[in-house]
Amino acid sequence: SSPPLGGAVLSLRVKMAAQAVNRELELKYSRALNLSEVESKRDPESEPYRSKYAARQLLKEMKAAVGLRTQAGEGEDERLQEGEWLQKAAVLELQLGLNHTETEELSAGEEHLARCVQILDTFKLSPQVVSILIQAQNQLGILWAGLEEMEKAQTYLEDAESLYNQYTKEIGTPPFDTHEHFLAEEERLTEQQRHKRFEKVYTYTLYYLAQVYKHLDMIEKAAWYCHTTLQRQLQFASYNPVEWAINAATLSQYYITKQSYMEGRLCLSASSVIFNQVKGSCSESPAEDSEEERDRCDQLQQKKAEIARCWIKYCLNLLQDSRKLLEDDVGELDWDRQEELKIQLKKEEEEKEQGRKSAVLFGSSETFDLIQSVEEKVSCTYPVDFTKAREVFLVGQNYVQEAKEFFQLDDHVTDHVEVVQDHSALFKTLAFFEEDQERRCKMHKRRIDMLEAVYKELNPQYYLLVCRQLQFEIGDTFYEMMELKVSIANRQDELDSHNIKKINHLAQSAITYYNLFLESLKNSEKKFPELLEADVLRPALVCKFRIGWLYSKMITSDPKTQLGNLQQSVDCYRFVVDYCKRQPEAAKVMEPELELCAEMATLLPARMEKLQAKLVAFV
């Protein structure tokens, strides 16, 4: 029999009322989103959250209306059973949670987000709600990470990750996007659009997990999640080229510390390729540009220089790690080790090329080809001879020039000095591979020229720590040159006056810079500290030790000058020995040199006595 007419009319009225409520909710939701995401960018500084507060008011009104529907239950066919109104309520809790966190009301934000999770937990694997739930867990992860509650953040984000994995394994269909709950049927997304948006939500989960693992010192895990995030962003064409490039360059530094140079080079090459996708080049006459455009260009140039610095570190570390593998006990190149390493690297390279980076590829085939062309410009295997080392050095030196274009001394003192120090370190490591000692000297001279040029421009009052670093490094470089000149002189039958003058000049220059370092440690009353700070303990004692050695190596035919030099030597050696007796921790850090200091402090006085006796006899 047919249902009573009155019942059909009532059912129709209920449906029409629900549709009217839905239409009103759709309009309000659209307005709230526009206020939050568009209008808020134009809010005045005096009222930075004006649009956010207006959006919140609309969301609250919607929440009240949805609350009435969830409680009504006016025989509303299956819709109530399906939880459609509950899903809408959860979306509003998510949006209110976001709104409160964006206006720095974290406690209220956390409450709304937690309520969203609570509402959806019972039907979390439903295609209608899984994306909302993962977004709420993501936001709770960010919120707790911002409050430095890393374990709580980790829990929420790992829950989001496992929910994504469970859903894709058990259900698999592209789920509803959050905003679809307030869209008319005809405005709903296609399956492809849903898939892309869902994957983007999960990419954020991985990105936030990478940050949390980094804060928890789970560095290897953080690197894996960062790399996966970068891969997915390229895969789904959802990234900001500048941000992506900087993240890839930063990740390369992790691989470098692990001696994974193939992966490090891949990240840097990808970084350079993606950075070049940035739209809108900077004009050659910036004075004519608007302030906004000048700021944009300045930021781009800075990011480009930062990527260049990551390339410098790659080249420098590759050379330094190769040196460690090849040097003998006294820091010289071990020929037997060099031959062994050549054979070993050839074998390893063949194996690596067979299974080439399959686990860490980036992007489409087109992007991959561009990346590979950048990779081919520099090796990722340890250079074992001067020719190979020079190739890596030249790549590093090109990036030094690129970095210095932005990090100029006038505006970026500390950064400029660090780039120059890296340039010096590139020369230092290249010199290790050079067999000709005269050419090695010339490389160290290049280092001195670049370091002194910067040092002379700095005021120690403002840049004390930087000045100390440079004083020590310049002193060290003169010291290395002097050792080389002595070694060259030892191969000759007799020393001529030119070589003697050169050796003494280098020794005196090293002493001057070491003494400048030591002077910088004195207090306002010009007294040397009784107790050295941990960060300067070894450098200060090494300065004393080396000054002692340098004075003992200075060449003079005048016995009085020779005696004075030996006395300076003894004083320096005794200073180190006495300090290490008073401070046992100093003895530990000076272990390699302490024994020699003690030995020389004992032997030199006997030599001085003989010299004194000769001097008296001569008089």
Side-chain angles (χ1 to χ4, degrees):
S1 60
S2 302
L5 185 60
V9 170
L10 181 62
S11 177
L12 184 63
R13 279 180 185 164
V14 168
K15 279 186 178 178
M16 287 176 71
Q19 284 169 356
V21 170
N22 264 330
R23 275 195 298 276
E24 191 182 343
L25 289 172
E26 285 161 15
L27 286 169
K28 280 190 175 179
Y29 188 81
S30 177
R31 277 167 55 203
L33 271 190
N34 189 58
L35 281 163
S36 227
E37 294 174 7
V38 181
E39 294 295 324
S40 63
K41 290 172 185 170
R42 297 196 280 267
D43 283 349
E45 282 183 30
S46 55
E47 291 180 276
Y49 299 135
R50 185 171 68 189
S51 297
K52 299 276 185 193
Y53 292 146
R56 183 187 300 174
Q57 189 54 43
L58 288 172
L59 291 167
K60 280 183 173 178
E61 289 169 16
M62 292 171 71
K63 183 184 169 182
V66 169
L68 288 172
R69 302 306 302 178
T70 55
Q71 291 158 24
E74 299 165 356
E76 211 186 304
D77 51 51
E78 299 96 36
R79 280 191 166 188
L80 189 62
Q81 285 73 43
E82 287 172 4
E84 187 177 316
W85 291 104
L86 276 177
Q87 291 161 23
K88 289 183 191 296
V91 171
L92 294 171
E93 293 292 358
L94 172 64
Q95 293 300 338
L96 282 163
L98 278 168
N99 183 287
H100 280 281
T101 53
E102 285 165 359
T103 56
E104 298 175 56
E105 298 161 72
L106 301 184
S107 180
E110 192 270 336
E111 281 177 31
H112 285 292
L113 293 168
R115 206 172 295 135
C116 173
V117 171
Q118 188 185 354
I119 292 168
L120 300 178
D121 196 53
T122 49
F123 42 108
K124 60 186 179 185
L125 288 174
S126 158
Q128 280 78 15
V129 307
V130 66
S131 187
I132 310 167
L133 185 49
I134 290 174
Q135 285 181 67
Q137 289 168 328
N138 281 353
Q139 292 303 322
L140 282 163
I142 297 166
L143 187 146
W144 287 115
L147 295 168
E148 298 195 6
E149 295 264 7
M150 292 300 165
E151 283 81 7
K152 274 189 182 177
Q154 182 186 358
T155 301
Y156 278 113
L157 292 167
E158 285 178 352
D159 283 351
E161 181 187 26
S162 58
L163 176 56
Y164 168 88
N165 288 330
Q166 188 184 355
Y167 180 84
T168 49
K169 188 180 176 183
E170 295 177 19
I171 313 296
T173 54
F176 273 52
D177 180 61
T178 308
H179 303 318
E180 283 191 88
H181 292 275
F182 291 99
L183 286 177
E185 197 77 42
E186 63 275 10
E187 293 174 342
R188 297 258 168 102
L189 305 180
T190 63
E191 290 227 328
Q192 194 177 1
Q193 288 170 320
R194 284 177 180 174
H195 171 70
K196 196 169 180 181
R197 291 205 187 177
F198 185 51
E199 293 300 336
K200 188 176 181 180
V201 168
Y202 179 58
T203 301
Y204 278 122
T205 307
L206 300 176
Y207 176 74
Y208 302 137
L209 270 170
Q211 314 306 309
V212 168
Y213 288 139
K214 188 179 176 184
H215 280 286
L216 291 169
D217 285 330
M218 298 163 76
I219 304 300
E220 205 161 322
K221 215 168 182 182
W224 186 89
Y225 276 82
C226 183
H227 202 126
T228 308
T229 301
L230 292 168
Q231 277 177 312
R232 289 175 62 82
Q233 285 175 329
L234 283 187
Q235 183 187 343
F236 295 105
S238 174
Y239 60 93
N240 171 312
V242 176
E243 200 177 294
W244 194 97
I246 289 294
N247 286 335
T250 305
L251 178 61
S252 76
Q253 304 304 285
Y254 162 77
Y255 285 126
I256 289 165
T257 62
K258 294 287 179 186
Q259 285 86 46
S260 301
Y261 285 101
M262 185 162 62
E263 290 79 1
R265 181 182 66 172
L266 170 69
C267 287
L268 283 167
S269 302
S271 172
S272 295
V273 167
I274 299 300
F275 187 84
N276 288 335
Q277 293 178 356
V278 177
K279 300 283 187 290
S281 58
C282 297
S283 73
E284 289 177 18
S285 49
E288 296 169 19
D289 293 333
S290 67
E291 190 178 340
E292 192 179 326
E293 178 60 16
R294 283 201 298 273
D295 285 347
R296 186 189 79 85
C297 286
D298 199 52
Q299 283 181 349
L300 279 180
Q301 285 163 354
Q302 181 174 345
K303 299 301 181 191
K304 187 182 178 186
E306 283 169 6
I307 293 166
R309 288 186 71 179
C310 289
W311 270 113
I312 296 166
K313 292 295 183 189
Y314 170 88
C315 295
L316 181 54
N317 280 272
L318 185 59
L319 288 167
Q320 288 174 337
D321 284 343
S322 181
R323 175 182 177 158
K324 284 173 197 168
L325 291 170
L326 291 166
E327 65 186 353
D328 58 21
D329 295 342
V330 291
E332 290 295 321
L333 200 150
D334 184 320
W335 303 107
D336 294 336
R337 187 80 190 94
Q338 187 184 43
E339 286 309 309
E340 285 169 24
L341 199 60
K342 277 182 182 177
I343 295 161
Q344 182 189 325
L345 289 174
K346 193 176 179 188
K347 189 183 171 189
E348 279 179 16
E349 199 169 351
E350 285 165 4
E351 287 170 8
K352 272 187 181 177
E353 285 302 317
Q354 284 166 7
R356 184 177 155 73
K357 297 187 292 290
S358 55
V360 289
L361 294 181
F362 278 132
S364 63
S365 57
E366 185 190 345
T367 313
F368 178 67
D369 289 343
L370 288 169
I371 291 167
Q372 200 167 3
S373 69
V374 177
E375 284 183 289
E376 284 164 2
K377 291 175 184 173
V378 63
S379 172
C380 66
T381 55
Y382 294 120
V384 290
D385 55 34
F386 181 78
T387 306
K388 294 284 184 190
R390 186 171 177 273
E391 287 171 9
V392 177
F393 165 85
L394 289 173
V395 173
Q397 185 167 250
N398 283 337
Y399 283 111
V400 165
Q401 302 314 325
E402 198 171 292
K404 280 163 76 176
E405 281 174 28
F406 179 81
F407 293 119
Q408 295 182 10
L409 189 60
D410 294 347
D411 304 312
H412 304 275
V413 175
T414 309
D415 290 303
H416 181 85
V417 172
E418 285 173 4
V419 172
V420 171
Q421 285 175 307
D422 282 344
H423 195 187
S424 165
L426 282 166
F427 268 108
K428 181 180 180 177
T429 324
L430 181 64
F432 167 80
F433 292 91
E434 176 54 73
E435 294 173 34
D436 186 303
Q437 289 186 318
E438 287 289 1
R439 284 177 64 184
R440 279 166 83 174
C441 275
K442 284 175 184 167
M443 289 180 199
H444 290 308
K445 178 69 171 70
R446 289 283 302 275
R447 293 175 62 205
I448 286 165
D449 290 345
M450 68 177 74
L451 294 167
E452 278 191 323
V454 174
Y455 175 70
K456 285 170 185 171
E457 296 296 320
L458 298 179
N459 184 338
Q461 192 178 340
Y462 302 111
Y463 297 104
L464 179 61
L465 293 178
V466 175
C467 284
R468 278 182 187 163
Q469 286 174 8
L470 291 169
Q471 287 157 355
F472 189 86
E473 190 177 347
I474 296 168
D476 250 10
T477 313
F478 275 120
Y479 178 88
E480 285 188 62
M481 281 184 76
M482 191 258 190
E483 279 190 314
L484 283 167
K485 288 292 182 186
V486 168
S487 175
I488 292 164
N490 286 341
R491 296 203 306 269
Q492 295 172 354
D493 295 335
E494 61 178 82
L495 275 174
D496 57 28
S497 60
H498 173 74
N499 276 328
I500 290 169
K501 198 174 174 183
K502 189 72 181 169
I503 288 167
N504 287 345
H505 168 72
L506 291 169
Q508 193 54 62
S509 298
I511 289 167
T512 300
Y513 276 100
Y514 284 143
N515 274 328
L516 282 168
F517 178 90
L518 294 169
E519 283 292 318
S520 78
L521 301 176
K522 290 181 178 178
N523 62 21
S524 55
E525 295 165 12
K526 297 291 176 190
K527 285 186 179 176
F528 201 76
E530 285 292 312
L531 189 66
L532 290 160
E533 296 288 332
D535 61 327
V536 294
L537 174 61
R538 178 164 168 79
L541 295 178
V542 165
C543 281
K544 282 286 186 184
F545 164 73
R546 289 191 175 165
I547 292 170
W549 186 88
L550 288 160
Y551 271 118
S552 72
K553 293 294 174 187
M554 288 177 84
I555 303 162
T556 176
S557 55
D558 177 25
K560 276 188 180 176
T561 307
Q562 197 178 352
L563 206 56
N565 288 344
L566 290 173
Q567 186 59 57
Q568 292 271 28
S569 263
V570 172
D571 291 346
C572 288
Y573 289 134
R574 280 181 180 158
F575 179 93
V576 176
V577 171
D578 293 345
Y579 190 92
C580 290
K581 275 182 186 170
R582 292 198 314 273
Q583 304 294 338
E585 71 277 5
K588 288 176 195 167
V589 301
M590 287 300 288
E591 198 175 335
E593 296 87 359
L594 185 56
E595 193 179 331
L596 184 58
C597 285
E599 193 181 320
M600 296 306 283
T602 309
L603 291 175
L604 284 181
R607 188 173 150 197
M608 287 168 69
E609 277 178 27
K610 283 182 185 175
L611 194 61
Q612 185 73 44
K614 273 186 187 177
L615 201 60
V616 171
F618 180 75
V619 171

